[in-house]
């Protein structure tokens, strides 16, 4: 009997060991899409291009959830397995060429195999460096007819995002044992400025301030402002639209996130 029990213990230990060994590499990427890399025309006719879009990211975590997480439920993610990146990571979404791959934030070499179908992260003020004191800094140029406005817009506010499965042309986050997969933190900057290629009555453009309210507070042909500056100088309704839309920047591909 003792021999049989010992044999069973050994078999169970081996099975547990095999399960624990079922890991792979999970990469975390950030993507500002073509709006950041290639530029676009705002809903009110300003051609916008970005030199830098700094986002400071923290608490980046991927989850395996069953049932799949619904971001519209506005409840916290509870995953059967999870993995993530330690510390804060400052990324420049405009880095690279017009057709560059999404930016690598970091990777976990021993992530548990399975389907990572939920993702969460925070944007937090950077402690130092080019984005010190800000969670988001947009640097670029806006052009309308003969008017050219270089701009820097710095946002100190922290936001937290709870997101479901990636929505796009191909599935992401499916990690096989000894394989590699990636998940993506996506940011939609047309939510701020609108998109001339989208109908004017589309919700995207209805809720976007556009660039004209920012141009109206430019000083000497330049715009270099913080959120506090915009609150003091921008037309109140436009400022409120801006504040209201900022939490909606985070997505997973085209998939929405709950933000707070």
């Amino acid at each position: 009997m003792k021999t049989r029990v010992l044999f069973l213990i050994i078999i169970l230990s081996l099975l547990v060991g095999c399960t624990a060994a079922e890991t792979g590499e999970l990469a975390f990427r950030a993507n500002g899409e073509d709006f950041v890399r290639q530029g676009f025309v705002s809903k009110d006719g300003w051609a916008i291009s970005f030199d830098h879009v700094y986002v400071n990211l923290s608490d980046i975590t991927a989850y395996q959830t069953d049932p799949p997480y619904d971001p519209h439920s506005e409840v916290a993610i509870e995953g059967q397995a999870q993995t993530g990146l330690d510390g804060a990571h400052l990324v420049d979404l405009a880095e690279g060429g017009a057709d560059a791959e999404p930016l690598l934030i970091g990777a976990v070499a021993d992530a548990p195999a399975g389907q990572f179908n939920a993702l969460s992260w925070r944007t937090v003020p950077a402690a130092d460096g080019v984005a010190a004191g800000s969670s988001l800094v947009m640097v670029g140029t806006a052009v309308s007819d003969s008017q050219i406005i270089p701009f820097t817009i710095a946002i100190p506010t922290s936001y937290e995002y709870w997101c479901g499965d990636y929505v796009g042309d191909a599935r992401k986050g499916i990690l096989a044992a000894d394989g590699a997969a990636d998940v993506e933190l996506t940011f939609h900057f047309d939510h701020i400025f609108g998109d001339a290629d989208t109908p004017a009555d589309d919700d995207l453009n209805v809720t976007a301030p556009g660039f004209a309210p920012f141009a109206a507070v430019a000083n000497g042909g330049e715009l270099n402002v913080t959120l506090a500056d915009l609150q003091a100088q921008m037309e109140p309704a436009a400022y409120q639209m801006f504040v209201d839309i900022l939490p909606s920047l985070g997505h997973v591909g085209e998939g929405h996130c709950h933000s707070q």
Side-chain angles (χ1 to χ4, degrees):
M1 176 65 71
K2 290 183 178 179
T3 302
R4 180 177 295 179
V5 170
L6 180 61
F7 176 76
L8 288 173
I9 291 174
I10 292 172
I11 293 298
L12 288 172
S13 298
L14 289 172
L15 288 173
V16 170
C18 289
T19 301
E22 291 182 349
T23 62
E25 181 174 277
L26 185 69
F28 293 80
R29 297 186 179 273
N31 189 2
E33 301 187 311
D34 290 347
F35 293 107
V36 167
R37 286 272 176 70
Q38 300 178 14
F40 63 105
V41 178
S42 70
K43 73 173 193 177
D44 42 17
W46 288 82
I48 296 173
S49 60
F50 293 99
D51 300 312
H52 304 283
V53 177
Y54 298 110
V55 183
N56 198 45
L57 305 164
S58 180
D59 301 311
I60 305 170
T61 308
Y63 308 81
Q64 298 176 16
T65 69
D66 184 17
Y69 175 70
D70 177 11
H72 301 289
S73 67
E74 300 185 2
V75 298
I77 302 172
E78 295 183 0
Q80 285 71 38
Q82 66 184 64
T83 191
L85 301 176
D86 294 330
H89 302 262
L90 182 69
V91 298
D92 181 1
L93 297 174
E95 180 182 327
D99 299 314
E101 291 293 315
L103 291 167
L104 177 64
I105 306 169
V108 176
D110 57 352
Q115 181 177 350
F116 289 91
N117 55 357
L119 189 63
S120 68
W121 72 88
R122 296 172 62 218
T123 59
V124 297
D128 51 29
V130 293
S134 297
S135 61
L136 168 65
V137 180
M138 296 175 283
V139 182
T141 304
V143 179
S144 178
D145 299 325
S146 60
Q147 193 172 6
I148 302 174
I149 299 180
F151 64 83
T152 299
I153 303 170
I155 308 300
T157 314
S158 296
Y159 296 102
E160 185 170 3
Y161 295 93
W162 302 340
C163 313
D165 207 355
Y166 176 86
V167 177
D169 294 333
R171 297 295 296 274
K172 289 183 179 290
I174 301 176
L175 182 62
D178 298 322
D182 68 327
V183 290
E184 182 179 297
L185 290 64
T186 316
F187 296 87
H188 290 194
F189 286 90
D190 54 336
H191 283 212
I192 296 175
F193 302 113
D195 181 8
D197 290 334
T198 299
D201 60 355
D202 188 275
D203 282 347
L204 170 73
N205 283 326
V206 170
T207 57
F211 190 79
F214 296 91
V217 298
N219 184 10
E222 295 186 9
L223 181 68
N224 191 342
V225 291
T226 65
L227 193 61
D229 296 328
L230 292 174
Q231 183 176 21
Q233 301 169 23
M234 187 181 278
E235 195 274 325
Y239 171 78
Q240 192 60 52
M241 288 181 71
F242 180 49
V243 171
D244 289 345
I245 209 63
L246 281 172
S248 77
L249 295 184
H251 290 67
V252 278
E254 295 301 317
H256 291 174
C257 301
H258 170 65
S259 58
Q260 58 181 16

